[in-house]
């Protein structure tokens, strides 16, 4: 028996060595198991650096669930292909001494994947499918990508639970990809908002000057007060903009409600009023009254002899007597009088401490003032000849615009004959009327046929002449509006040169037949609404003068001859004031590089006599300091370089530039904030929580500023 068994064993051994088998089915099954195990190991090794055989040995793998044995303690750990947290946690807790090895493997795996991608791109190969289930894309990465998409595209938070969205992501990645729940996205939104507030608070704290803009917006029977923050990088002169808040304002838009909400927002970001160069708002009377009462720039200029220590009264400058219940006033609330009147406000009946509200310096939006000229003021023209032809022309144009916007047949016919669409004027969009008329004039020949086809009342020859003159007159005003609404490359120093250039261009229009009255009305409105630019000796003119002179593009070229000595003196006094509080005297090297960046719009300002700077004497104790200031100003004003980087050689002028040009000339940025808000607060999302709405706007700003 033993000999037989021994012979059989030897025979089997020889058979295996020669490749023969006694039981083929058993051997094939064993070979399949070995192959499956090896393929599973290989597939898992590709998916994660943990399954390369040194840390874990594969036990079983069915495509989703994984059971692997630790090579150190031989314990079987269970997990899934979409998450390797259990396997990594086991090593962290039980074998922490191996974490350096784990990190090295992770870095090597990541480097290998990046090298493969680089090689693939180098030879023009394209990935056929995104592989989110690889180790390079974790569950948190998927959550971040979905969160960024929802915030940047202004989608509802519930988007991540939509079946079609799930199918999209799973179709691109894996059928078993786990998408985050809307509650996870909501928690992420809150965390990102808290980070945004902290980040922006620290950013503001590190700036010497910031500018704020504020306005009120209504949607779905709700009102919001929006605020934005802006500062200039002192190294590269780039302007950075951030959303501060878009808070719900309940009740009437009174000056008290506005003041309290603005104060609350500033306290949330720990903004010191002295750091704010200006806060820019439109010309509404409720904003004007809020700052006349609670801003120190008005309180300090009063010469009130009454008892200022009385807690029940506060003396303020008042130029109008708007009511607390007045919500919106589209007219400028300023008075032409140079001597402000004094208004006494009784605070004894209020339910809050007026000393708890303190607002920064305030200026009104120059672009909004120009818009009021182009709309409100022009509508008050009383000349019969102008009104007759103007009403006749615009009646025909509005009939055309209305028909095109309401009738698909008419719209198709216009597209067929003119090969374009015609914009329709919108009240809330500045320059929309000018743009619409300009489009009509540029397609004059085609529109003659269109009016015939649509059976509209034809525009007569003299009416076409009127439209040509209208675009000629309104063109410079529209250009000024576009310049002053800029955000990245526009500064307060643009206001005075733009307004003076606009007025000169209007004065030079002498060949007008129908629109001479329109031109004269615009000139008179400019002189009224921008009286602080026409008369530079007004107190309100100071920031506009210093911001323009300290901007290398303008310097003194824009200043009328009769005000040059006065502006020289003001600029010198400001430099003396800054130099007295600063020991930083930088190099005064002159840059003589020519810069022909002046465009045609400002060219008219340089057609007058050339300006030069002459040293002025001031009653100061330090004559050496005055000489230094005089030399630096003279060097700066005589250089031909108009680039902002020239300020790096003039320490005093650079400080003045940031002090006054940090301010924006327009509140347009907060209007753009409301444009984004209107895409979030849609009728289908009218139940969106006020705080969630605000967090979405702020987090979108965070994403766009990355």
């Amino acid at each position: 028996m033993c000999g037989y068994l021994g012979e059989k064993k030897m025979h089997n051994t020889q058979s295996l060595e020669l490749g023969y088998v006694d039981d083929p089915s058993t051997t094939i099954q064993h070979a399949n198991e070995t192959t499956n195990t090896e393929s599973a190991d290989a597939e898992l090794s590709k998916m994660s650096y943990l399954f390369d055989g040194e840390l874990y040995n594969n036990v079983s793998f069915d495509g989703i669930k994984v059971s692997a044995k630790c090579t150190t303690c031989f314990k079987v750990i269970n997990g899934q292909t979409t998450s390797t947290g259990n396997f990594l946690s086991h090593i962290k807790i039980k074998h922490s001494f191996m974490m350096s090895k784990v990190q090295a493997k992770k870095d090597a795996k990541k480097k290998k994947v990046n090298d493969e991608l680089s090689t693939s791109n180098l030879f023009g190969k394209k990935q056929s499918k995104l592989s989110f289930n690889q180790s390079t894309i974790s569950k948190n990465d998927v959550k971040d990508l979905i969160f960024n998409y929802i915030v940047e595209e202004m989608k509802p938070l519930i988007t991540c639970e939509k079946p079609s969205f799930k199918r999209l992501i799973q179709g691109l990645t894996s059928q078993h990809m786990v998408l985050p729940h809307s509650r996870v996205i909501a928690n992420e939104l809150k965390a990102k908002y808290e980070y945004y507030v902290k980040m922006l608070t620290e950013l503001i704290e590190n700036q010497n000057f910031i500018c704020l803009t504020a306005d009120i917006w209504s949607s779905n029977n709700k009102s919001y007060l929006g605020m934005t923050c802006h500062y200039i990088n002192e190294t590269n002169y780039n302007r950075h903009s951030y959303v501060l808040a878009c808070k719900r304002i309940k009740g009437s838009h009174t000056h008290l409600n506005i003041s309290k909400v603005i104060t609350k927002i500033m306290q949330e970001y720990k903004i010191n009023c002295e750091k704010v160069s200006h806060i820019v708002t439109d010309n509404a009377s409720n904003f004007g009254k809020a700052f006349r009462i609670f801003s120190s720039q008005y309180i300090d200029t009063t010469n009130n002899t009454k008892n200022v220590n009385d807690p029940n009264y506060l003396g303020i400058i008042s130029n109008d007597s708007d009511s607390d219940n007045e919500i919106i006033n589209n007219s400028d609330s300023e008075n032409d009088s140079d001597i402000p009147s004094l208004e006494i406000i009784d605070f004894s009946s209020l339910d809050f401490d007026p000393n708890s509200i303190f607002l920064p310096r305030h200026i009104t939006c120059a672009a909004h003032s120009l818009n009021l000229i182009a709309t409100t003021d022009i509508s008050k023209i009383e000349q019969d000849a102008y009104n007759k032809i103007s009403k006749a022309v615009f009646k025909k144009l509005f009939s055309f615009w209305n028909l095109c916007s309401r009738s698909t047949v008419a719209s198709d016919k216009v597209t067929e004959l003119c090969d374009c669409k015609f914009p329709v004027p919108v009240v809330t969009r500045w320059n929309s009327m000018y743009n619409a008329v300009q489009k009509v004039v540029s397609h004059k020949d085609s529109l003659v046929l269109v009016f015939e086809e649509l059976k509209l009342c034809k525009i007569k020859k003299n009416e076409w002449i009127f439209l040509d003159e209208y675009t000629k007159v309104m063109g410079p005003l529209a250009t000024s509006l576009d310049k002053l609404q800029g955000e990245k490359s526009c500064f307060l120093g643009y206001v005075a040169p733009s307004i003076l250039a606009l007025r000169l261009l209007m004065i030079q229009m002498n060949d007008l037949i129908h629109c001479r009255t329109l031109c004269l009305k615009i000139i008179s409105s400019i002189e009224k609404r921008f009286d602080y630019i026409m008369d530079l000796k007004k107190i309100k003119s100071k920031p506009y003068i210093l911001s323009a002179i300290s901007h290398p593009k303008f310097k003194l070229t824009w200043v009328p001859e009769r005000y040059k000595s006065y502006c020289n003196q003001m600029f010198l006094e400001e430099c003396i004031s800054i130099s007295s509080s600063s020991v930083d005297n930088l190099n005064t090297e002159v840059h003589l590089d020519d810069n022909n960046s002046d465009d045609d719009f400002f060219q008219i300002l340089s057609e007058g006599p050339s300006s030069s700077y002459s040293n002025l004497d001031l009653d100061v104790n330090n004559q050496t300091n005055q000489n230094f200031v005089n030399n630096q100003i003279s060097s700066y004003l005589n250089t031909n370089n108009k680039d902002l980087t020239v300020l790096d050689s003039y320490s005093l002028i650079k400080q003045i530039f940031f002090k006054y040009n940090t301010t924006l000339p327009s509140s347009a940025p907060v209007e753009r904030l409301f444009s984004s808000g209107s895409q979030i607060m849609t009728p289908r999302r009218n139940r969106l929580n006020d705080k969630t709405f605000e967090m979405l706007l702020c987090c979108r700003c965070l994403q766009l500023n990355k």
Side-chain angles (χ1 to χ4, degrees):
M1 176 70 70
C2 291
Y4 173 76
L5 291 174
E7 292 175 0
K8 185 174 182 180
K9 182 176 181 181
M10 184 180 298
H11 173 73
N12 289 340
T13 304
Q14 293 173 350
S15 300
L16 289 172
E17 291 174 355
L18 297 173
Y20 301 116
V21 293
D22 288 338
D23 188 353
S25 62
T26 303
T27 307
I28 292 172
Q29 180 180 357
H30 176 75
N32 288 340
E33 290 176 356
T34 304
T35 303
N36 291 339
T37 302
E38 291 176 353
S39 62
D41 284 334
E43 188 172 352
L44 284 172
S45 179
K46 290 180 180 180
M47 293 172 60
S48 176
Y49 60 90
L50 297 173
F51 304 114
D52 61 353
E54 294 187 26
L55 300 175
Y56 287 97
N57 289 326
N58 178 50
V59 176
S60 66
F61 168 56
D62 63 357
I64 304 176
K65 296 182 180 179
V66 179
S67 295
K69 182 186 293 185
C70 177
T71 58
T72 305
C73 64
F74 305 107
K75 182 177 180 180
V76 177
I77 308 298
N78 298 320
Q80 293 183 352
T81 58
T82 57
S83 176
T84 58
N86 290 348
F87 303 100
L88 190 59
S89 297
H90 173 74
I91 297 176
K92 286 182 179 179
I93 297 173
K94 299 296 184 181
H95 315 297
S96 58
F97 62 91
M98 297 180 64
M99 286 305 298
S100 58
K101 184 177 181 180
V102 172
Q103 186 63 40
K105 286 182 173 293
K106 182 178 180 181
D107 295 340
K109 180 72 174 181
K110 187 174 182 180
K111 184 177 184 301
K112 182 180 178 182
V113 172
N114 291 335
D115 292 342
E116 290 176 353
L117 290 175
S118 300
T119 304
S120 176
N121 293 333
L122 182 63
F123 290 98
K125 297 179 181 178
K126 296 183 179 179
Q127 250 184 328
S128 59
K129 184 177 180 180
L130 296 175
S131 300
F132 283 94
N133 58 339
Q134 292 184 1
S135 59
T136 54
I137 303 296
S138 65
K139 191 175 181 180
N140 285 333
D141 292 333
V142 174
K143 179 191 67 177
D144 291 340
L145 289 171
I146 293 176
F147 174 80
N148 293 342
Y149 166 76
I150 289 175
V151 171
E152 290 180 30
E153 297 301 321
M154 296 175 282
K155 301 293 183 182
L157 300 185
I158 200 70
T159 298
C160 59
E161 297 182 26
K162 298 288 186 181
S164 58
F165 185 77
K166 287 184 176 181
R167 288 194 297 270
L168 171 66
I169 301 301
Q170 291 174 350
L172 292 173
T173 57
S174 169
Q175 293 296 325
H176 309 288
M177 172 61 63
V178 179
L179 271 65
H181 194 273
S182 60
R183 289 192 296 271
V184 176
I185 300 297
N187 292 335
E188 181 73 6
L189 177 65
K190 184 177 180 181
K192 285 286 179 70
Y193 175 73
E194 291 174 352
Y195 165 78
Y196 177 82
V197 173
K198 181 180 178 181
M199 178 273 296
L200 189 53
T201 302
E202 294 176 353
L203 199 61
I204 292 173
E205 185 179 359
N206 294 329
Q207 305 305 316
N208 292 322
F209 299 102
I210 63 171
C211 169
L212 306 179
T213 68
D215 200 3
I216 296 177
W217 169 69
S218 297
S219 176
N220 294 325
N221 298 322
K222 296 179 180 179
S223 295
Y224 296 89
L225 190 145
M227 287 183 66
T228 62
C229 172
H230 312 266
Y231 70 90
I232 302 175
N233 187 305
E234 296 190 7
T235 303
N236 55 22
Y237 300 94
N238 290 334
R239 190 184 291 277
H240 299 270
S241 304
Y242 292 91
V243 176
L244 278 182
C246 193
K247 291 194 179 296
R248 178 82 178 274
I249 180 170
K250 297 182 179 180
S252 299
H253 302 169
T254 64
H255 69 284
L256 292 177
N257 279 343
I258 291 173
S259 302
K260 287 190 285 187
V261 175
I262 292 177
T263 301
K264 181 179 179 181
I265 294 172
M266 293 181 63
Q267 290 174 348
E268 183 177 353
Y269 289 92
K270 300 178 182 179
I271 299 176
N272 186 344
C273 285
E274 296 302 318
K275 189 185 290 286
V276 181
S277 59
H278 291 95
I279 182 169
V280 189
T281 71
D282 60 20
N283 295 276
S285 59
N286 46 7
F287 273 108
K289 187 172 183 179
F291 287 96
R292 285 195 301 275
I293 294 177
F294 296 108
S295 177
S296 61
Q297 76 182 106
Y298 297 104
I299 299 174
D300 294 343
T301 57
T302 60
N303 295 319
N304 186 20
T305 57
K306 292 183 178 294
N307 183 8
V308 296
N309 296 319
D310 188 348
N312 295 328
Y313 292 93
L314 180 64
I316 60 144
I317 289 183
S318 175
N319 294 321
D320 71 335
S321 56
D322 51 14
S323 170
D324 285 354
N325 294 323
E326 183 175 9
I327 297 178
I328 294 294
N329 182 1
N330 289 327
S331 63
D332 194 348
S333 60
E334 297 178 3
N335 195 334
D336 294 335
S337 175
D338 293 335
I339 304 176
S341 60
L342 188 67
E343 180 182 359
I344 304 300
I345 305 297
D346 184 3
F347 286 118
S348 59
S349 60
L350 298 181
D351 57 353
F352 67 93
D353 181 10
N355 294 322
S356 64
I357 299 178
F358 190 75
L359 301 182
R361 289 175 289 272
H362 170 249
I363 65 169
T364 54
C365 174
H368 186 231
S369 297
L370 284 176
N371 180 63
L372 293 176
I373 293 174
T375 54
T376 305
D377 295 352
I378 288 177
S379 65
K380 297 178 181 178
I381 295 177
E382 298 179 351
Q383 189 189 52
D384 293 337
Y386 173 83
N387 287 334
K388 183 178 180 180
I389 191 170
S390 174
K391 290 179 180 178
V393 171
F394 283 109
K395 183 179 180 180
K396 295 175 182 178
L397 289 182
F398 274 105
S399 298
F400 166 68
W401 289 325
N402 291 336
L403 183 62
C404 290
S405 61
R406 296 175 183 177
S407 171
T408 57
V409 176
S411 179
D412 292 340
K413 180 61 68 175
V414 171
T415 304
E416 177 186 344
L417 296 175
C418 299
D419 195 26
C420 68
K421 294 283 187 180
F422 288 87
V424 179
V426 181
V427 176
T428 56
R429 293 184 182 178
W430 302 344
N431 278 355
S432 63
M433 175 62 78
Y434 168 77
N435 294 332
V437 174
Q438 186 185 42
K439 188 80 170 181
V440 168
V441 172
S442 63
H443 290 77
K444 174 182 176 180
D445 297 334
S446 301
L447 283 177
V448 172
L449 298 176
V450 169
F451 275 61
E452 290 180 358
E453 291 287 339
L454 299 180
K455 298 181 180 180
L456 293 171
C457 188
K458 297 180 182 179
I459 299 178
K460 301 176 182 178
K461 183 178 180 179
N462 66 323
E463 292 174 340
W464 281 116
I465 296 174
F466 170 83
L467 290 175
D468 286 333
E469 292 185 356
Y470 180 88
T471 56
K472 180 180 178 181
V473 172
M474 299 299 292
L477 194 148
T479 301
S480 302
L481 262 174
D482 290 337
K483 287 182 179 297
L484 297 181
Q485 288 183 84
E487 184 172 344
K488 294 297 183 181
S489 58
C490 191
F491 307 91
L492 186 66
Y494 274 68
V495 175
S498 297
I499 298 304
L500 291 174
L502 174 61
R503 179 175 175 273
L504 287 175
L505 288 170
M506 291 292 164
I507 291 175
Q508 292 181 359
M509 293 184 184
N510 298 318
D511 56 344
L512 301 174
I513 301 174
H514 302 289
C515 292
R516 182 60 183 168
T517 303
L518 174 64
C519 186
L520 293 175
K521 183 63 177 179
I522 292 175
I523 294 173
S524 63
S525 296
I526 289 173
E527 294 172 349
K528 178 180 179 182
R529 291 188 179 275
F530 294 96
D531 60 322
Y532 51 90
I533 303 297
M534 301 300 108
D535 182 2
L536 294 177
K537 292 188 177 181
K538 287 181 175 289
I539 296 176
K540 189 178 178 180
S541 306
K542 181 178 179 180
Y544 298 94
I545 296 173
L546 295 176
S547 61
I549 298 178
S550 62
H551 196 298
K553 182 181 180 69
F554 302 109
K555 298 175 185 174
L556 285 170
T557 57
W558 62 276
V559 180
E561 196 62 33
R562 63 184 181 279
Y563 292 113
K564 273 193 167 56
S565 176
Y566 175 78
C567 292
N568 272 334
Q569 182 77 19
M570 179 183 290
F571 192 56
L572 178 60
E573 289 175 355
E574 186 71 17
C575 288
I576 290 289
S577 174
I578 289 179
S579 65
S580 300
S581 58
S582 174
V583 295
D584 180 25
N585 291 339
L586 296 180
N587 176 24
T588 59
E589 174 188 0
V590 178
H591 291 249
L592 298 177
D593 300 330
D594 288 334
N595 188 324
N596 298 320
S597 59
D598 281 345
D599 52 28
D600 294 338
F601 184 80
F602 294 112
Q603 191 65 34
I604 192 172
L605 295 175
S606 58
E607 293 176 357
S610 59
S611 60
S612 60
Y613 173 78
S614 57
N615 292 349
L616 300 174
D617 292 328
L618 287 178
D619 185 15
V620 293
N621 296 327
N622 191 343
Q623 187 64 33
T624 303
N625 187 41
Q626 182 182 341
N627 291 335
F628 165 75
V629 172
N630 270 318
N631 291 336
Q632 188 166 125
I633 294 176
S634 178
S635 176
Y636 164 73
L637 293 178
N638 290 325
T639 180
N640 294 323
N641 194 331
K642 298 181 181 180
D643 191 81
L644 290 176
T645 55
V646 74
L647 295 174
D648 293 335
S649 298
Y650 305 102
S651 59
L652 299 180
I653 288 90
K654 184 176 181 178
Q655 292 182 61
I656 297 174
F657 174 85
F658 283 110
K659 181 178 179 180
Y660 292 98
N661 278 293
T662 297
T663 301
L664 284 165
S666 165
S667 60
V670 77
E671 299 287 346
R672 298 185 184 104
L673 170 66
F674 296 149
S675 296
S676 299
S678 64
Q679 297 178 57
I680 297 175
M681 184 70 72
T682 60
R684 294 185 64 182
R685 301 175 68 184
N686 60 356
R687 291 185 295 176
L688 190 64
N689 182 274
D690 293 337
K691 188 63 179 178
T692 302
F693 171 66
E694 182 181 15
M695 290 191 296
L696 283 170
L697 280 176
C698 291
C699 288
R700 184 170 185 269
C701 175
L702 177 63
Q703 294 301 125
L704 297 178
N705 277 281
K706 282 186 176 180

